Amino acid sequence: MSISGKLDPVVCRITAADIAEALSQGLRDFQAKPLYGLAFGGLYAVGGIIILLSLTAFKMVYLAYPLAAGFALIGPFVAIGLYEVSRRRETGEPISFPAIWSTITSRSEIGWMAFVTLFIFLIWMYQVRLLIALLIGLNASFSSLQEFIRVVLTTNEGLVFLVVGNLVGAALSLVLFSLTVVSFPLLLEREVDFITAMITSVRSVVMSPLPMIGWAAVVVVLLMISALPYFLGLIVTLPVLGHATWHLYRRIVAPVDAGSLFESQTTQSAEQGKV
């Protein structure tokens, strides 16, 4: 039973074939409803550009690389509108921006899940600044991104920062991925609490570790590459990955009826065992 008193969602194993099929379905959703994909992808890209310009204005352009990497962390939150588009296509419900917004705002637990996502993103950015202070210098500042890259790649301190920073970043990314990979789609589809959603998400990673880590690698690599040309590649990449995430979720978490049947059979078996 979940914290809310309802049956826990049933998690299924997946394979690399499921990931490939989810990507294929995600591409088809984007092709079928490109306006919504481009809108959400454009919003994501504009957000990245605004933050990058702000960093430049405050002479903190050296945070551009960790920002691009960290942007992948909040992708599941930003893509929630795309999950709703895929869900509505699946159920045959009418699709419109007001309908999407209405559904998202009606799910109060999504707000808590968004807080968790943004909190870890802030930790990500602060740990980069902390590592720069500890490993490169407390008063380190760089007039340009090129100067920062030169220091990182040509000095011992910079190389240590690069290794340690990427290891810490990988750990944070794995934690957040495990907590959110199916959390947002689950909260969108069902009335469950965000703690149950996170536990279900972690269970999905534990159940199929290699395919899920492979999926995480695909998402991070594609989002980072797409972020390089001033975040403009995200206009297309985010929608495809967002739609694909919904279809992967549908393969990971069993439908409500199937979950109820599984729980009923488990309970019945346990009672028979006691007898």
Side-chain angles (χ1 to χ4, degrees), residues 17-40:
D18 292 305
I19 293 176
E21 182 58 29
L23 281 169
S24 178
Q25 290 177 302
L27 181 59
R28 288 197 291 271
D29 278 359
F30 176 56
Q31 292 171 332
K33 298 292 181 181
L35 174 63
Y36 298 94
L38 293 174
F40 287 109

Short mmCIF file of all heavy atoms in Angstrom, two decimals, residues 17-40:
data_model
loop_
_atom_site.label_atom_id
_atom_site.label_comp_id
_atom_site.label_asym_id
_atom_site.label_seq_id
_atom_site.Cartn_x
_atom_site.Cartn_y
_atom_site.Cartn_z
N ALA A 17 14.83 -3.10 -26.41
CA ALA A 17 13.83 -3.04 -27.47
C ALA A 17 12.68 -2.11 -27.08
O ALA A 17 12.12 -1.41 -27.94
CB ALA A 17 13.31 -4.44 -27.77
N ASP A 18 12.33 -2.10 -25.80
CA ASP A 18 11.27 -1.21 -25.33
C ASP A 18 11.68 0.25 -25.48
O ASP A 18 10.87 1.11 -25.84
CB ASP A 18 10.94 -1.50 -23.87
CG ASP A 18 10.27 -2.85 -23.68
OD1 ASP A 18 9.25 -3.09 -24.34
OD2 ASP A 18 10.78 -3.66 -22.88
N ILE A 19 12.95 0.54 -25.21
CA ILE A 19 13.45 1.90 -25.34
C ILE A 19 13.42 2.34 -26.80
O ILE A 19 13.00 3.46 -27.13
CB ILE A 19 14.87 2.00 -24.77
CG1 ILE A 19 14.84 1.80 -23.25
CG2 ILE A 19 15.49 3.35 -25.11
CD1 ILE A 19 16.19 1.78 -22.60
N ALA A 20 13.85 1.45 -27.69
CA ALA A 20 13.85 1.77 -29.12
C ALA A 20 12.42 2.03 -29.61
O ALA A 20 12.18 2.98 -30.37
CB ALA A 20 14.48 0.62 -29.91
N GLU A 21 11.47 1.21 -29.17
CA GLU A 21 10.09 1.39 -29.59
C GLU A 21 9.50 2.66 -29.01
O GLU A 21 8.72 3.36 -29.67
CB GLU A 21 9.26 0.18 -29.16
CG GLU A 21 7.80 0.24 -29.59
CD GLU A 21 7.60 0.37 -31.08
OE1 GLU A 21 8.48 -0.11 -31.84
OE2 GLU A 21 6.59 0.95 -31.50
N ALA A 22 9.86 2.99 -27.76
CA ALA A 22 9.37 4.23 -27.14
C ALA A 22 9.88 5.45 -27.91
O ALA A 22 9.12 6.41 -28.12
CB ALA A 22 9.82 4.30 -25.68
N LEU A 23 11.13 5.41 -28.33
CA LEU A 23 11.67 6.51 -29.13
C LEU A 23 10.94 6.64 -30.46
O LEU A 23 10.65 7.74 -30.92
CB LEU A 23 13.17 6.29 -29.37
CG LEU A 23 14.11 6.65 -28.22
CD1 LEU A 23 15.51 6.13 -28.49
CD2 LEU A 23 14.13 8.17 -28.01
N SER A 24 10.63 5.51 -31.06
CA SER A 24 9.89 5.51 -32.32
C SER A 24 8.50 6.11 -32.14
O SER A 24 8.04 6.93 -32.94
CB SER A 24 9.78 4.08 -32.87
OG SER A 24 9.04 4.05 -34.07
N GLN A 25 7.83 5.72 -31.06
CA GLN A 25 6.49 6.26 -30.77
C GLN A 25 6.57 7.75 -30.42
O GLN A 25 5.67 8.52 -30.77
CB GLN A 25 5.86 5.48 -29.62
CG GLN A 25 5.48 4.06 -29.99
CD GLN A 25 4.92 3.30 -28.79
OE1 GLN A 25 5.58 3.16 -27.76
NE2 GLN A 25 3.70 2.81 -28.93
N GLY A 26 7.64 8.14 -29.73
CA GLY A 26 7.82 9.55 -29.40
C GLY A 26 7.97 10.41 -30.64
O GLY A 26 7.42 11.51 -30.74
N LEU A 27 8.73 9.89 -31.61
CA LEU A 27 8.90 10.61 -32.87
C LEU A 27 7.58 10.73 -33.62
O LEU A 27 7.26 11.79 -34.19
CB LEU A 27 9.94 9.89 -33.74
CG LEU A 27 10.25 10.52 -35.09
CD1 LEU A 27 10.77 11.94 -34.91
CD2 LEU A 27 11.26 9.67 -35.87
N ARG A 28 6.77 9.67 -33.58
CA ARG A 28 5.48 9.71 -34.26
C ARG A 28 4.54 10.72 -33.59
O ARG A 28 3.79 11.43 -34.27
CB ARG A 28 4.83 8.31 -34.27
CG ARG A 28 5.52 7.34 -35.22
CD ARG A 28 4.63 6.15 -35.50
NE ARG A 28 4.46 5.29 -34.34
CZ ARG A 28 5.26 4.28 -34.05
NH1 ARG A 28 6.30 4.00 -34.85
NH2 ARG A 28 5.04 3.52 -32.99
N ASP A 29 4.58 10.80 -32.26
CA ASP A 29 3.75 11.79 -31.56
C ASP A 29 4.16 13.21 -31.95
O ASP A 29 3.31 14.08 -32.15
CB ASP A 29 3.89 11.62 -30.04
CG ASP A 29 3.00 10.51 -29.50
OD1 ASP A 29 2.27 9.90 -30.29
OD2 ASP A 29 3.05 10.26 -28.28
N PHE A 30 5.46 13.44 -32.03
CA PHE A 30 5.96 14.77 -32.40
C PHE A 30 5.53 15.12 -33.82
O PHE A 30 5.11 16.26 -34.10
CB PHE A 30 7.48 14.81 -32.27
CG PHE A 30 8.09 16.11 -32.73
CD1 PHE A 30 7.68 17.32 -32.17
CD2 PHE A 30 9.07 16.13 -33.71
CE1 PHE A 30 8.24 18.52 -32.59
CE2 PHE A 30 9.63 17.33 -34.12
CZ PHE A 30 9.22 18.53 -33.57
N GLN A 31 5.62 14.15 -34.72
CA GLN A 31 5.21 14.39 -36.11
C GLN A 31 3.71 14.64 -36.22
O GLN A 31 3.26 15.43 -37.04
CB GLN A 31 5.61 13.20 -36.99
CG GLN A 31 7.12 13.04 -37.15
CD GLN A 31 7.50 11.75 -37.84
OE1 GLN A 31 6.78 10.74 -37.75
NE2 GLN A 31 8.62 11.76 -38.54
N ALA A 32 2.93 13.98 -35.35
CA ALA A 32 1.48 14.12 -35.40
C ALA A 32 1.02 15.46 -34.81
O ALA A 32 0.05 16.06 -35.29
CB ALA A 32 0.81 12.97 -34.64
N LYS A 33 1.72 15.93 -33.76
CA LYS A 33 1.35 17.19 -33.09
C LYS A 33 2.58 18.08 -32.94
O LYS A 33 3.02 18.39 -31.82
CB LYS A 33 0.73 16.89 -31.73
CG LYS A 33 -0.56 16.07 -31.77
CD LYS A 33 -1.70 16.88 -32.39
CE LYS A 33 -2.99 16.08 -32.41
NZ LYS A 33 -4.10 16.85 -33.02
N PRO A 34 3.17 18.52 -34.05
CA PRO A 34 4.43 19.29 -33.96
C PRO A 34 4.29 20.63 -33.26
O PRO A 34 5.24 21.10 -32.63
CB PRO A 34 4.81 19.47 -35.44
CG PRO A 34 3.51 19.39 -36.18
CD PRO A 34 2.70 18.37 -35.43
N LEU A 35 3.12 21.27 -33.34
CA LEU A 35 2.95 22.58 -32.73
C LEU A 35 3.23 22.55 -31.24
O LEU A 35 3.93 23.41 -30.70
CB LEU A 35 1.52 23.09 -32.98
CG LEU A 35 1.15 24.41 -32.28
CD1 LEU A 35 2.03 25.54 -32.78
CD2 LEU A 35 -0.32 24.74 -32.50
N TYR A 36 2.70 21.53 -30.56
CA TYR A 36 2.88 21.43 -29.11
C TYR A 36 4.34 21.11 -28.77
O TYR A 36 4.91 21.67 -27.83
CB TYR A 36 1.94 20.36 -28.55
CG TYR A 36 0.49 20.70 -28.76
CD1 TYR A 36 -0.21 20.21 -29.87
CD2 TYR A 36 -0.17 21.55 -27.89
CE1 TYR A 36 -1.55 20.55 -30.07
CE2 TYR A 36 -1.50 21.90 -28.08
CZ TYR A 36 -2.18 21.39 -29.18
OH TYR A 36 -3.48 21.74 -29.39
N GLY A 37 4.93 20.22 -29.55
CA GLY A 37 6.33 19.88 -29.32
C GLY A 37 7.24 21.07 -29.50
O GLY A 37 8.12 21.34 -28.66
N LEU A 38 7.04 21.82 -30.57
CA LEU A 38 7.88 22.99 -30.83
C LEU A 38 7.65 24.07 -29.78
O LEU A 38 8.59 24.79 -29.40
CB LEU A 38 7.58 23.54 -32.22
CG LEU A 38 7.99 22.64 -33.40
CD1 LEU A 38 7.50 23.24 -34.72
CD2 LEU A 38 9.49 22.44 -33.43
N ALA A 39 6.43 24.19 -29.28
CA ALA A 39 6.12 25.20 -28.26
C ALA A 39 6.85 24.90 -26.96
O ALA A 39 7.53 25.77 -26.39
CB ALA A 39 4.62 25.27 -28.02
N PHE A 40 6.74 23.64 -26.49
CA PHE A 40 7.41 23.29 -25.23
C PHE A 40 8.92 23.24 -25.40
O PHE A 40 9.67 23.65 -24.51
CB PHE A 40 6.89 21.94 -24.73
CG PHE A 40 5.49 22.01 -24.17
CD1 PHE A 40 4.42 21.43 -24.85
CD2 PHE A 40 5.24 22.65 -22.96
CE1 PHE A 40 3.13 21.51 -24.34
CE2 PHE A 40 3.96 22.73 -22.45
CZ PHE A 40 2.89 22.16 -23.14
#
